Amino acid sequence: MKPALIGRELPEIQELLPPGEPAFRARQLYTAAYKNRASGWDAVTTVSRDLRARMAGQVAFGWPGVAQEFASADGTHRYLLELDDGRTVETVFMPEERRDTLCISTQVGCPVDCKFCLTALMGLERNLTAGEIVGQVLLGAVRHNLDPRSRQMNVVMMGQGEPLLNLDNVLKATRILCDERGVGMSERRITVSTSGIVNRMEALGRAAVRPKLAISLNASHEEQRRELMPITKKWHLRDLLAACRAYPLRAWERLTFEYVLLDGVNDTDADAARVVSLLGQLRCKVNLIALNPGPGIPFGTPAPDRVDSFQRIVQRVLPCFVRKPRGRDIYAACGQLKRMADADVTAAGGAPGLVAITHPPG
Ligand code: SAH
Ligand code: SF4
């Protein structure tokens, strides 16, 4: 496989250039790829046609291809992206009035076996490279006309995968996304979500450039969490909370805790009260997500009044929001990413996809 341009920091772009090219060429390519968001070699008009052609022979530009695109009635788009090795992974775009969010993947599949999540059923196929992570953002920004420098655009690493099990690539992608001379996003507009890989949280906290941190709590006590998220056997809830207390929050930052409500399992008022006692002392907010159902998931979605009651209890002490389900009809919502393709979506009662292959991997 050819090396790729996207995913490289400046010194690594320098290494790609033919001998004898001046150093500013690397900067030109860097600017074209990240600041101007060129989508292929042809769009890099700042260097000669000859150099472009020579580079294209040896180096992939590095954008993902779009294998399929699904559009939901609520404006959400789910992309099934094709990678260089033919594997596919998902990115979701969710427009809102005051904020647009791109939900990107960090692995193909996921090795963490959460019992309520469709991605878990895939197992882990492989880590994404930094370029494949950045590529999702570039593609989403260009297709939906988003400005990475504006407050309107947000990126959440909440698609397929456990980001902290691919931390080096996640951090490298973040550095590229946040470089003022390139993509130019603010660290405040990127969030990484983890199932609670405690030792990697410590490593994340030490990184000079890093996204905000969200933690998938999903249970109100140790034993319940072990059943829903078997990773708890390795990383205990009490150690996870200790890592949260020790986490070096920046002055503007607070932790986010996500909590998937499963009907009759972790959604009682007593659960809500326990969540408050677990988190009450932390600088944080809580996002509740009523289960998004899926084939093979042995849980139900709680009724709206249950969700309200849970929220009311947590809200007495902590900011607590209910996350609206987005794109459930196209299998784009939290926990539904399993690269469901056209026929499967229709069979499962969802809307059929929009467009087939529009842009092969570049
Ligand atoms: N692996 C990371 C990030 C991806 S999952 C993590 O687990 O944090 C993103 C969020 O979706 C997590 O908070 C997870 O708890 C939630 N989720 C998983 N399956 C879900 C489902 N079926 N319905 C609603 N939310 C779900
Ligand atoms: Fe992996 Fe997150 Fe799904 Fe758990 S919820 S299986 S960590 S993607």
Side-chain angles (χ1 to χ4, degrees), residues 314-353:
V314 179
Q315 235 169 12
R316 281 181 211 142
V317 180
L318 292 166
C320 179
F321 307 90
V322 178
R323 205 186 279 165
K324 271 186 298 195
R326 300 292 309 255
R328 267 191 196 167
D329 55 342
I330 54 165
Y331 279 84
C334 300
Q336 292 190 311
L337 298 187
K338 200 196 159 200
R339 62 174 177 219
M340 186 99 69
D342 217 348
D344 312 313
V345 171
T346 317

Side-chain angles (χ1 to χ4, degrees), residues 164 167-175 178 187 192 199-213 247-250 252-253:
L164 296 203
L167 184 61
D168 289 349
N169 288 327
V170 160
L171 287 177
K172 185 176 183 193
T174 306
R175 286 196 302 274
C178 296
E187 290 164 281
V192 66
N199 65 338
R200 303 274 74 199
M201 285 167 61
E202 290 157 6
L204 174 71
R206 285 194 296 269
V209 180
R210 59 187 152 99
K212 292 192 295 185
L213 178 59
Y247 193 76
L249 289 170
R250 288 156 285 192
W252 46 267
E253 188 176 12

